[in-house]
Amino acid sequence: MDKNATLKELERVLGFLDTDELTADQAKTITEDTEYNYDHYFNPGWMDFRKSCTPDGTTMEWADDPEHVMDVNGVPYIDLIGGFGTYICGHRNPEILHYVKKQMDRLTLSSTELLEPLRGYLSEIMAMITPGDLQYTYLTNGGAEAVEMAIKLALLYNGPGFFIATTGGFHGKSIGAVSMTANPSFRGPYIGNLMECVRHVKFGDADQLENAIKNLQAVGEKVTAFIIEPVQGESGCHVPYDGYLKDCREITKKYGVLLILDEIQTGLGRTGYLWRSMKEDVTPDIMTFGKVSSGGIIPITGIVSRKEVFENSGLIENPFILGSPTFGGNALACSSTLGTINYILKNDIPTMAQEKGDYYMKSLVEMQKRHPILAELRQAGLLIAMEFETAELGWEVSKECFARQVMVAGTLNNARVIRIEPPAIQSYETIDKALEVIDAAITTVEKNA
């Protein structure tokens, strides 16, 4: 290591962070540096991917405001991606940030040895706002980690056996989570080393779930848990029939199978309910949460479980058997999440999300009548899917929107689909501008097709 060269480079880079407003030359330098660093030190494939969905592939995000992301040149982009559901309260929401700054001046993470009050307060609040008798919270850092903990807790309580997941489902890319995920492009490289006892059934078909459980039990196999998203996000906002979750809950209870609801993307207001499971008054045995949780400021995710499940899994006797993440439930993340929940409840974000989602849909339905390439629309609150006839058309519409300073994105499990999941605090004026751009983008793509 060349210490002096490293310190010189650090001084240069940190100088950009000390700058209140970048000059044109600084913006140019950062752009060139970032392209080089991604190609040589991060992942060249990432640059190739970005070039496929933005006009030149070199746009660098540098700042934001509640409704926009700004590049290094200060150009604002209307954010319809919302951090894939994270920014429902807007970017850097000042009411949430207030509590993070207060906590930052007091204690940042934690010693991990002493008791940390905010972890306890957040766990109490989660028990107060989650469905039914969910009580115990276990805090993690990322979505896949939360799913892993849900899998492990199910095994600790209900014993080894099969897990059932759904086609089209997405639960993350760690080994346990990707075993539950349905996308073969994510699973393929790990086939042979995934969890073996996993079966997938059709999403939205409760009869298939019951048959799968019955068939496994008929040959002497145990079924530990069924994991499902109440609304499938990554596969393109697929909404099951009304009553599906209730049917799944009744089936799992009937056969002694745990129900794990993955509410990482659907929870805390995104779909028009505080938790999507509340739409059908369903209480799972274990629920995962994330995305919205900390207002897009400090990463935090976790699981909440029923008292019966938690207290009979060996976790009282050995609190570390599930895991012991160094940063899970740290003081900064908890302060941010407490502030976020406070903002969501005080401002009735679920209702706001439903109303804004309905407003988008009213215009999109009219748009669909004029644009035959827009094959289908789906909605759950402010989680909206525009599905095009082909993946290529979807990508082209995304690029045309981006060229007009509106950020949209395809989904990981279905490239034909463009998702709209902006902040719920987005103004109607901004929504109208975004809809005009979407209409113009589709028109351009149709002309060039």
Side-chain angles (χ1 to χ4, degrees):
M1 180 187 82
D2 187 332
K3 179 179 177 180
N4 290 333
T6 304
L7 286 171
K8 184 177 180 181
E9 178 64 0
L10 282 168
E11 183 179 7
R12 185 178 76 94
V13 172
L14 292 173
F16 294 138
L17 298 182
D18 269 333
T19 302
D20 292 330
E21 189 172 341
L22 296 175
T23 65
D25 285 343
Q26 286 175 320
K28 183 174 183 294
T29 298
I30 290 171
T31 299
E32 292 172 350
D33 287 348
T34 303
E35 287 186 75
Y36 184 86
N37 289 339
Y38 269 62
D39 267 338
H40 290 81
Y41 305 115
F42 183 66
N43 185 344
W46 197 266
M47 285 296 296
D48 292 337
F49 177 77
R50 297 317 316 167
K51 287 174 182 175
S52 72
C53 57
T54 60
D56 59 8
T58 61
T59 302
M60 313 293 161
E61 63 179 311
W62 187 252
D64 59 11
D65 66 24
E67 299 183 69
H68 302 83
V69 173
M70 276 76 81
D71 68 16
V72 290
N73 296 301
V75 176
Y77 294 81
I78 295 174
D79 182 13
L80 298 193
I81 301 173
F84 298 110
T86 301
Y87 292 107
I88 199 164
C89 299
H91 293 257
R92 287 187 302 113
N93 183 298
E95 292 186 37
I96 300 169
L97 205 54
H98 165 80
Y99 297 105
V100 179
K101 289 178 178 178
K102 285 288 187 181
Q103 183 59 37
M104 197 173 290
D105 288 337
R106 183 181 300 111
L107 174 72
T108 50
L109 299 180
S110 66
S111 69
T112 73
E113 177 63 22
L114 305 178
L115 301 181
E116 202 289 294
L118 295 190
R119 188 177 304 188
Y121 285 130
L122 177 55
S123 298
E124 175 199 21
I125 294 296
M126 291 303 296
M128 294 172 72
I129 68 170
T130 48
D133 61 349
L134 292 175
Q135 178 172 337
Y136 285 100
T137 292
Y138 182 89
L139 298 169
T140 50
N141 303 280
E145 185 184 5
V147 170
E148 294 289 339
M149 296 305 107
I151 292 169
K152 291 173 70 178
L153 181 57
L155 289 168
L156 289 171
Y157 174 77
N158 214 18
F162 276 82
F163 281 77
I164 299 177
T166 61
T167 55
F170 180 84
H171 301 284
K173 304 192 191 84
S174 54
I175 288 296
V178 83
S179 299
M180 308 298 156
T181 292
N183 192 326
S185 65
F186 299 145
R187 293 166 53 83
Y190 308 104
I191 294 294
N193 292 283
L194 297 174
M195 290 177 60
E196 293 182 357
C197 295
V198 178
R199 296 289 183 269
H200 288 81
V201 297
K202 184 179 179 182
F203 179 73
D205 190 331
D207 289 338
Q208 273 204 20
L209 169 64
E210 184 163 23
N211 287 335
I213 296 172
K214 287 168 64 177
N215 289 340
L216 285 165
Q217 291 184 346
V219 295
E221 299 286 0
K222 180 178 178 62
V223 182
T224 299
F226 173 51
I227 183 169
I228 186 174
E229 301 161 89
V231 174
Q232 289 189 334
E234 296 299 335
S235 71
C237 186
H238 286 284
V239 185
Y241 66 82
D242 286 344
Y244 174 61
L245 291 185
K246 191 176 287 290
D247 289 345
C248 291
R249 175 70 284 189
E250 291 175 359
I251 290 166
T252 51
K253 278 186 177 179
K254 178 180 178 181
Y255 294 97
V257 174
L258 292 184
L259 176 63
I260 302 172
L261 285 187
D262 185 343
E263 290 247 25
I264 287 171
Q265 188 162 177
T266 56
L268 289 171
R270 171 59 60 184
T271 67
Y273 296 83
L274 191 60
W275 306 96
R276 185 67 179 187
S277 53
M278 288 179 168
K279 182 177 189 292
E280 297 185 29
D281 193 26
V282 167
T283 300
D285 297 294
I286 305 169
M287 186 177 76
T288 65
F289 64 91
K291 294 292 187 186
V292 167
S293 299
S294 63
I297 296 172
I298 307 289
I300 186 171
T301 60
I303 63 174
V304 192
S305 74
R306 292 177 50 245
K307 178 183 174 75
E308 161 71 19
V309 172
F310 192 92
E311 291 187 351
N312 292 280
S313 299
L315 291 168
I316 307 299
E317 296 77 13
N318 183 354
F320 303 108
I321 194 172
L322 195 60
S324 52
T326 301
F327 303 119
N330 66 75
L332 280 179
C334 288
S335 67
S336 187
T337 305
L338 289 165
T340 300
I341 295 170
N342 183 60
Y343 186 88
I344 287 170
L345 296 180
K346 283 174 59 179
N347 293 278
D348 195 2
I349 289 295
T351 296
M352 193 183 298
Q354 187 64 56
E355 290 173 349
K356 300 283 177 71
D358 290 345
Y359 188 85
Y360 265 105
M361 283 296 288
K362 183 178 179 180
S363 291
L364 289 171
V365 167
E366 291 302 313
M367 211 178 290
Q368 186 182 24
K369 295 175 184 177
R370 302 192 301 273
H371 299 296
I373 67 169
L374 182 50
E376 190 174 341
L377 294 166
R378 294 183 292 274
Q379 178 206 12
L382 202 46
L383 174 56
I384 296 170
M386 299 188 299
E387 183 158 349
F388 293 89
E389 291 178 335
T390 66
E392 291 74 19
L393 288 171
W395 282 121
E396 290 302 321
V397 172
S398 294
K399 287 193 285 186
E400 289 294 334
C401 285
F402 194 87
R404 293 167 171 82
Q405 295 171 225
V406 169
M407 290 173 55
V408 295
T411 63
L412 290 176
N413 281 15
N414 186 351
R416 297 192 308 276
V417 175
I418 289 176
R419 264 182 303 179
I420 295 176
E421 25 181 354
I425 55 90
Q426 191 176 56
S427 70
Y428 285 100
E429 180 184 4
T430 300
I431 293 174
D432 287 339
K433 289 179 183 177
L435 287 165
E436 288 177 12
V437 166
I438 292 170
D439 197 3
I442 297 174
T443 300
T444 299
V445 170
E446 283 181 330
K447 287 179 180 178
N448 296 334

